[in-house]
Amino acid sequence: AIIITVEISIFIFVTMRSLSQLCCLFSVLAASLDQGHAFTAIPSTSSSPRLSSKKTTVVTPRSDSSSSLHALLDPMLISAAVDPSSPEIQQAFTAATFFPQPFWLLLVFLPKSDLTKKIMGGMEVVTLCCLIHFFIVSASIVQPGGTAPLEEFSGVFDPAGNPQEAFLGMMQYPNFVSEEWSHVLTWDLFVGRWIWLDGLKRNVFTPHSVLLCNLIGPPGLLLHWATCLVTGKGLP
């Protein structure tokens, strides 16, 4: 009874903390967008200031990290720099985002239900997510200008350079964003399903770990291992 109480307390704590962090993230993004585009205004050197009562300015991008964030979040800047995704890839992005969510609900809230075991016991759902990702990759390859230049990709793996900056540069390509997003969501579901299966096999409480895996990925797996150790089940 004590162990069950502790597990439920951990589950409630992690749930509330994760939701709080998620709300904070959205608040930060909203505040960033409200501040407008991150550009530095330079007064114009026009010799006819009387033509307009408003100051004429020339905008140039700032070199700080906040301008990079605004550039990534501004679809107008993205569309001006690279080719947009095709409608099919945009639809696949939406499918990759929302298709897995009902199955996460089953794993978190009905982990021992026969319905959950029937749906998530096999690899069908994860395979469908993999196929969505494969479609995005394939459609990007055949689309002219649909992939990021190879030199930008190689910059991510250049230890002598700035891999983080190189990756930020690649995020301006909509198809790359679509590929990475579906990539992450598919692997999160794969690991979340494994945590759930291990819990069923060894009678370990998993909803809190599965939920955290859905929200921020790898920490969910670490929480599952911690739960196994705390409850005396040992590591898988």
Side-chain angles (χ1 to χ4, degrees):
I2 295 177
I3 293 177
I4 294 176
T5 302
V6 171
E7 291 176 341
I8 293 176
S9 300
I10 295 175
F11 173 66
I12 295 175
F13 171 77
V14 171
T15 302
M16 298 303 296
R17 184 175 179 84
S18 299
L19 291 176
S20 176
Q21 291 175 341
L22 194 60
C23 290
C24 290
L25 175 60
F26 283 124
S27 298
V28 170
L29 291 177
S32 299
L33 291 174
D34 289 339
Q35 292 176 359
H37 306 310
F39 289 94
T40 301
I42 301 176
S44 173
T45 57
S46 173
S47 60
S48 304
R50 295 181 181 179
L51 294 178
S52 174
S53 60
K54 296 182 180 180
K55 292 182 179 180
T56 303
T57 59
V58 178
V59 294
T60 58
R62 291 205 308 262
S63 60
D64 58 12
S65 59
S66 63
S67 69
S68 298
L69 173 62
H70 284 290
L72 293 176
L73 293 176
D74 193 332
M76 296 301 295
L77 295 178
I78 292 175
S79 61
V82 298
D83 294 330
S85 294
S86 66
E88 293 78 14
I89 294 179
Q90 294 177 11
Q91 294 172 1
F93 181 93
T94 301
T97 301
F98 294 104
F99 173 73
Q101 303 313 315
F103 307 108
W104 281 110
L105 294 176
L106 291 176
L107 295 177
V108 172
F109 294 105
L110 298 172
K112 296 185 178 180
S113 168
D114 290 337
L115 176 64
T116 304
K117 294 177 182 178
K118 181 178 181 180
I119 294 177
M120 297 303 296
M123 290 294 294
E124 292 84 0
V125 173
V126 175
T127 300
L128 287 174
C129 292
C130 291
L131 290 174
I132 294 174
H133 174 266
F134 181 74
F135 171 80
I136 292 174
V137 173
S138 302
S140 299
I141 292 175
V142 300
Q143 176 184 339
T147 59
L150 184 59
E151 57 270 19
E152 293 195 26
F153 184 78
S154 62
V156 178
F157 297 94
D158 181 10
N162 190 335
Q164 184 187 49
E165 183 178 352
F167 190 82
L168 283 173
M170 295 185 66
M171 293 295 285
Q172 69 179 308
Y173 297 91
N175 288 353
F176 178 76
V177 173
S178 300
E179 183 278 327
E180 283 296 296
W181 182 240
S182 60
H183 178 163
V184 169
L185 294 182
T186 299
W187 283 120
D188 282 353
L189 184 60
F190 179 84
V191 177
R193 174 183 174 274
W194 180 88
I195 292 173
W196 166 73
L197 287 173
D198 185 59
L200 289 180
K201 180 180 178 180
R202 302 193 298 134
N203 194 27
V204 179
F205 184 80
T206 60
H208 61 312
S209 304
V210 172
L211 176 63
L212 193 62
C213 188
N214 182 24
L215 293 176
I216 52 177
L221 181 60
L222 296 178
L223 182 59
H224 176 63
W225 287 342
T227 303
C228 293
L229 294 175
V230 170
T231 56
K233 301 293 185 178
L235 295 177

